[in-house]
């Protein structure tokens, strides 16, 4: 299959990138991060999550963040909501897109959202209905699509089954997530092919954590399977609190460098993202984990 010549990048650093940080990050810093990402041209930014602050304390300032950001016309500001309480808060905060998040593995579903896969789908039903009634976009995330920290292997059929339920719920977009970064290109190709047998490829996203350094190869495999939406995190920030040892999402700078080098358009200003990556890493007191980001920043400074 020919690779797409245009890709949508969903920048997830404000949510997936920061949710695992132990030290509470001031709301102003989160807001500045989102504002700078908006200016860099992202079409979709995952802004925060409306989950229990006992489970994920870093996202406790969700409503304040949403109220303070400057919205760029044309950018979709997405938030996670696991239940009706989360949806009500997301609606009040003016989210453009609500993300329901389930898993292809029973053990991870229990660890992350404290219920079985079937129970999660039942919990998502009223949320999906309310999202649609409010005229918002609905996205469904499938964790552990390439492996589970508790269960090990996950078969593509299990991923397809959750995707099928998400389609029934009316999801506009479906995320195939490698929560712990264990996937390799042939496996990714297999799962993407299986999912795109029931979901149009234009509505499927790849969400790769880079724990094993496989993400760029997995994105290339996904592109070859017709996928044109990828989730990335500036400076490679992130990790899931309920997936031990999981590191950040693939770094935005690395993905932009690869895609632009391949002549694939993203609409995102890589130069601006390099500065954002260096700035937020400095704020967190560590070196950016983006290889391209660090190399390009060094070149700029020379
Ligand atoms: P629970 O304990 O089973 O449910 O949690 P509950 O209904 O009994 O609620 C427990 C407490 O949370 C109650 O408070 C509720 O009011 C409150 P208490 O009475 O004890 O004071 N509560 C809420 N508070 C604020 N907002 C809400 C909300 N709902 C309940 N929406 C629940 C179930 C799903 C709520 C919980 O397990 C939870 O919040 N989990 C969060 C999980 C999470 O955020 N994980 C990280 C994001 S997913 C991810 O990173 C993966 C992804 O990136 C893809 C990938 O890489 O795989 C998307
Ligand atoms: Mg994730």
């Amino acid at each position: 299959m020919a690779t797409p010549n245009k890709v949508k990048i969903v920048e997830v650093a404000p949510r997936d990138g920061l949710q695992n940080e132990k030290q509470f990050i001031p709301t102003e810093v989160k807001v500045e991060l989102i504002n700078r990402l908006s200016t860099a041209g992202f079409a979709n930014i995952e802004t925060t999550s409306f989950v229990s602050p006992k489970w994920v304390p870093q996202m406790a300032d969700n409503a304040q963040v949403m109220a303070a950001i400057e919205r760029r016309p044309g950018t979709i500001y997405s938030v996670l909501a696991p239940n009706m309480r989360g949806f009500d808060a997301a609606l009040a905060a003016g989210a453009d897109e609500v993300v329901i998040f389930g898993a292809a593995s029973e053990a991870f579903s229990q660890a992350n959202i404290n219920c079985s896969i079937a129970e999660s789908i039942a919990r998502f039903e009223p949320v999906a209905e309310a999202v649609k009634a409010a005229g918002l976009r609905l996205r469904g995330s499938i964790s552990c699509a390439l492996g589970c920290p508790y269960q090990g292997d996950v078969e593509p059929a299990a991923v397809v089954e959750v995707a099928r339920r998400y389609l029934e719920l009316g999801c506009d977009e479906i995320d195939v997530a490698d929560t712990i970064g264990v996937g390799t290109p042939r496996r990714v190709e297999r799962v993407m092919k299986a999912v795109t047998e029931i979901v149009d490829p234009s509505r499927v996203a790849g969400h790769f954590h880079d724990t094993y350094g496989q993400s760029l190869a997995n994105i290339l495999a996904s592109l070859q399977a017709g996928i044109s939406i990828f989730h990335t995190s500036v400076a490679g920030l992130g990790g899931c609190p309920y997936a031990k040892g999981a590191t950040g999402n693939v770094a935005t700078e690395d993905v932009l460098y690869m895609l632009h080098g391949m002549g694939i358009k993203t609409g995102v200003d890589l130069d601006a993202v390099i500065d954002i990556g260096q700035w937020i890493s400095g704020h967190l007191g560590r070196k950016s984990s983006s290889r391209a980001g660090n190399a390009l920043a060094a070149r700029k400074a020379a």
Side-chain angles (χ1 to χ4, degrees):
M1 189 181 282
T3 54
N5 55 19
K6 201 168 159 245
V7 152
K8 178 171 94 167
I9 300 288
V10 180
E11 171 57 56
V12 298
R15 196 281 303 170
D16 208 344
L18 298 185
Q19 70 178 8
N20 213 21
E21 287 293 326
K22 297 284 167 288
Q23 288 283 99
F24 190 77
I25 298 155
T27 304
E28 317 75 88
V29 173
K30 292 171 180 152
V31 169
E32 184 173 348
L33 174 63
I34 296 160
N35 287 346
R36 290 179 70 156
L37 292 168
S38 295
T39 307
F42 289 94
N44 194 327
I45 301 174
E46 205 168 90
T47 312
T48 186
S49 59
F50 287 89
V51 298
S52 163
K54 284 190 196 138
W55 285 64
V56 185
Q58 189 61 250
M59 296 285 110
D61 58 355
N62 40 30
Q64 291 94 306
V65 168
M66 288 296 283
I69 57 172
E70 283 161 35
R71 298 182 189 217
R72 189 182 79 106
T75 296
I76 295 166
Y77 296 90
S78 315
V79 305
L80 269 58
N83 52 21
M84 280 308 286
R85 172 142 180 217
F87 166 75
D88 290 338
L91 182 68
D96 300 310
E97 180 176 72
V98 171
V99 184
I100 49 177
F101 52 105
S105 127
E106 285 294 349
F108 188 78
S109 182
Q110 287 293 350
N112 195 37
I113 48 175
N114 206 19
C115 61
S116 69
I117 297 173
E119 281 162 350
S120 73
I121 302 291
R123 222 182 255 180
F124 297 151
E125 265 166 26
V127 177
E129 230 170 81
V131 169
K132 291 282 142 180
L136 306 181
R137 282 173 55 89
L138 179 67
R139 174 143 69 77
S141 172
I142 310 175
S143 283
C144 298
L146 286 132
C148 169
Y150 310 105
Q151 194 176 294
D153 276 355
V154 172
E155 280 307 306
V159 183
V160 171
E161 180 52 21
V162 180
R164 191 178 63 74
R165 303 304 303 267
Y166 281 171
L167 275 186
E168 287 166 3
L169 293 178
C171 282
D172 299 291
E173 228 163 272
I174 294 177
D175 309 332
V176 174
D178 189 0
T179 314
I180 52 170
V182 289
T184 45
R186 289 240 161 85
R187 273 199 74 101
V188 168
E189 189 188 352
R190 250 181 83 208
V191 76
M192 289 304 190
K193 279 195 170 149
V195 170
T196 53
E197 268 175 30
I198 66 159
V199 189
D200 192 275
S202 66
R203 293 166 61 190
V204 177
H207 177 112
F208 299 112
H209 284 264
D210 204 28
T211 319
Y212 290 80
Q214 302 298 300
S215 297
L216 287 179
N218 290 340
I219 288 176
L220 187 56
S222 304
L223 284 166
Q224 285 162 354
I227 306 303
S228 59
I229 309 170
F230 297 101
H231 296 188
T232 68
S233 178
V234 66
L237 297 177
C240 178
Y242 301 101
K244 204 165 181 288
T247 60
N249 301 82
V250 62
T252 308
E253 299 91 316
D254 295 0
V255 175
L256 292 177
Y257 182 82
M258 180 180 91
L259 294 176
H260 295 175
M262 292 170 72
I264 297 173
K265 291 191 171 51
T266 63
V268 180
D269 177 0
L270 171 57
D271 198 51
V273 179
I274 293 162
D275 294 343
I276 301 169
Q278 298 297 309
W279 164 75
I280 190 70
S281 300
H283 191 87
L284 297 172
R286 70 175 79 112
K287 196 171 185 275
S288 162
S289 56
S290 168
R291 305 276 286 269
N294 288 335
L296 292 166
R299 206 202 281 172
K300 273 174 95 167

